[in-house]
Amino acid sequence: MTRRRQLLLGVAIGAAGIAVTAALMAITGDVHSAGFELDLGVLVVALVILGAAAVVEELVFRALVLGGLLRLTGSAVLALVVSSAAFGLLHLVTTADATTLSVLSTTAGGVMYGLAYLRTGRIWLGVGIHFAWNFVQATVLGFTMSGTDDYSGALWHLDGGGDYGPEGTVWSLVGRAVVIALVLVVTRPRDPRPAP
């Protein structure tokens, strides 16, 4: 699968996962709307910043940390668990509004991005998923994203999930499970162990 196809597929998968989360929040009354208004400045800034952040985080946490742990331990499962936990814990120490549930959700995010890396051997599917999850959540739907509103509200202005946003709800775990299932469906198993 080409890099472009992985990116586009990742965007579709990430958007589907956060859409499921938002839909479940709406069904249960956990969402409040403050309306719709186009803010082109936020839209452009979010495209650039969230796109760059997705690439950097996938390079660091998947290519370097996950890939390094895989080489060190020889175990894809152990490498995935440790790198995902580190990803979740980083959000705990860098976000004032983090909760136990938000850390668990972010750790599950590490699993979904890490699984995309292990199944493809490249970061691009994970980059697409990561970017779409954040961009749709914050910029398109207007939710708080991981405790920040810096890139929120370029289109809709939705509120829900407390100070951390949708990732602080149990519904994010369902959305992340959808992403994991879709990654498993669209990719083929491969031997993630590095060549000797």
Side-chain angles (χ1 to χ4, degrees):
M1 190 181 321
T2 66
R3 174 177 49 187
R4 181 178 179 190
R5 180 160 177 186
Q6 283 188 18
L7 277 169
L8 293 174
L9 190 55
V11 165
I13 291 171
I18 195 63
V20 166
T21 301
L24 290 170
M25 290 174 67
I27 289 168
T28 58
D30 291 338
V31 172
H32 308 286
S33 177
F36 178 88
E37 180 182 344
L38 176 62
D39 185 331
L40 210 48
V42 171
L43 187 68
V44 171
V45 168
L47 276 170
V48 173
I49 299 296
L50 296 179
V55 171
V56 169
E57 287 187 23
E58 292 310 300
L59 278 170
V60 170
F61 279 95
R62 265 46 82 179
L64 296 177
V65 175
L66 176 57
L69 286 168
L70 182 59
R71 288 187 184 281
L72 185 66
T73 66
S75 169
V77 172
L78 180 60
L80 182 61
V81 167
V82 171
S83 65
S84 298
F87 187 67
L89 290 173
L90 175 71
H91 285 73
L92 173 65
V93 299
T94 60
T95 308
D97 299 313
T99 64
T100 301
L101 187 54
S102 71
V103 171
L104 180 60
S105 176
T106 305
T107 300
V111 171
M112 66 190 202
Y113 307 134
L115 189 60
Y117 176 76
L118 291 173
R119 299 275 290 196
T120 63
R122 302 169 78 189
I123 64 166
W124 302 112
L125 182 63
V127 166
I129 295 168
H130 201 147
F131 168 75
W133 180 275
N134 290 339
F135 185 77
V136 171
Q137 174 183 197
T139 310
V140 174
L141 297 177
F143 287 111
T144 297
M145 175 195 69
S146 300
T148 183
D149 290 323
D150 291 349
Y151 311 106
S152 299
L155 297 173
W156 281 286
H157 299 275
L158 299 177
D159 185 31
D163 292 335
Y164 200 83
E167 295 164 319
T169 71
V170 69
W171 304 121
S172 68
L173 298 175
V174 177
R176 293 195 190 276
V178 166
V179 170
I180 289 168
L182 289 172
V183 167
L184 291 173
V185 167
V186 303
T187 59
R188 286 179 279 176
R190 60 181 284 282
D191 185 355
R193 292 175 298 184

